[in-house]
């Protein structure tokens, strides 16, 4: 249940609770909250627990340069840390930083690992139970793993043959294709989930986590079947916020473990992970002539430049060049 926001004492005058409260008032995603807290607290510890208001741009420069030079982080990681600190000073503390002079992390162009169709199918066939169906959704619909885990019953629109992703990265929503070949399997999964939900209700449970105070607005929604997760956890657990017993969604680590085992069993010599299915989804669409804008919308990318990375993948060999060895 690590994607459920921790409870906050709004009356607390301590730094961390007040920062968390400020982030939530801004309406940022909980994943962003956790990321910002991580880098801000890291920054404070790096400077021997000094309060941020007692530090300035030179301290930010020193920390960001340390990440690049000593920790050898990627440009993306350094940029995330920078975003967190700019948010801290500019929005939370209302302090304007002077021009920063930190050392930038080395830029390295990384082309995503992509599976051929046969490789993807082979890995999926070596998976079992719910993890196999989740892998099929990632490959067939382009969902991130966490998006699959968070799918709720009402997010599967069989009549329109689409999947609605409501809690996407950046707190955005989008729709993507529902593979016709998965309709039967998903209906079986939903039927099994219904039985689990009925069992929970018979024990006096049956509630699920709802974001944005929906449980207070709609009193019976947290027990309504349409709000239940498509892939529920194996057992109920105690909600850390109010100690209510709920059934959360399946944990990503369980799926990741099953993907790793299937890759090994398939003897595929690529550094493949659950996210590789999403990369492979995008690449298949490009190979089949779909335009970048459509793929961008299905993947939920804010910028088409992010989607353009897949154009480098479909060029077989070095930039599509035919090897002299193949002239014969």
């Amino acid at each position: 249940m690590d994607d459920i926001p921790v409870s906050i004492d709004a009356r607390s005058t301590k730094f961390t609770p007040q920062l968390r409260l400020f982030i939530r008032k801004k309406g940022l995603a909980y994943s962003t909250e956790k990321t910002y807290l991580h880098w801000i607290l890291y920054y404070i510890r790096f400077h021997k627990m000094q309060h941020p208001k007692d530090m300035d741009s030179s301290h930010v420069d020193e920390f960001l340069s340390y990440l690049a030079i000593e920790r050898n982080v990627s440009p993306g990681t350094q940029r995330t840390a920078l975003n967190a600190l700019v948010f801290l000073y500019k929005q939370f503390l209302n302090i304007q930083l002077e021009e920063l002079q930190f050392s930038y992390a080395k830029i390295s162009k990384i082309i995503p690992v992509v599976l051929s169709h046969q490789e993807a199918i082979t890995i999926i066939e070596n998976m079992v139970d719910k993890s196999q169906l989740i892998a099929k959704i990632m490959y067939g619909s382009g969902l991130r793993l966490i998006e699959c885990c968070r799918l709720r019953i009402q997010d599967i629109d069989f009549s329109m043959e689409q999947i609605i992703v409501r809690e996407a990265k950046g707190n955005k929503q989008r729709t993507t294709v529902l593979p016709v070949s998965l309709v039967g399997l998903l209906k079986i999964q939903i039927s099994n989930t219904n039985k689990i939900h009925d069992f929970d209700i018979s024990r006096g449970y049956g509630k699920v986590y709802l974001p944005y105070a929906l449980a207070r607005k709609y009193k019976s929604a947290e027990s309504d079947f349409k709000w239940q997760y498509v892939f529920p956890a194996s057992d109920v657990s105690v909600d850390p916020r109010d100690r209510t017993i709920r059934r959360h969604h399946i944990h990503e680590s369980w799926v990741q473990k099953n993907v790793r085992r299937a890759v090994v069993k398939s003897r595929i010599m690529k550094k493949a992970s659950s996210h590789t299915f999403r990369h492979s989804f995008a690449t298949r669409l490009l190979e089949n002539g779909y335009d970048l804008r459509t793929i961008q919308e299905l993947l939920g990318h804010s910028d088409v430049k992010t989607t353009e990375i897949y154009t480098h993948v479909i060029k077989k060999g070095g930039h599509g060049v035919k090897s002299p060895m193949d002239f014969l």
Side-chain angles (χ1 to χ4, degrees), residues 5 208-222 227 241 246:
V208 70
Y209 164 71
L210 295 181
Y212 315 120
L214 286 175
R216 290 196 297 272
K217 186 176 182 180
Y218 305 106
K219 298 299 182 182
S220 61
E222 59 184 350
W227 281 101
R241 302 170 305 161
R246 309 180 193 275

Side-chain angles (χ1 to χ4, degrees), residues 1-4 34 127 130-132 134-135 138 144-151 229-235 237 247-260 274:
M1 302 179 75
D2 53 4
D3 58 346
I4 294 180
K34 291 192 294 183
M127 299 178 70
K130 288 182 287 188
S131 69
Q132 186 183 71
I134 290 173
M138 289 189 289
R144 300 176 177 89
L145 174 55
I146 187 59
E147 292 170 347
C148 278
C149 294
R150 287 176 178 169
L151 280 176
Y229 292 112
V230 175
F231 299 102
S234 58
D235 203 354
S237 54
R247 188 180 290 273
H248 204 46
H249 60 66
I250 195 169
H251 201 281
E252 310 98 276
S253 63
W254 181 81
V255 183
Q256 290 166 339
K257 189 181 297 182
N258 277 278
V259 171
R260 287 195 296 269
S274 57

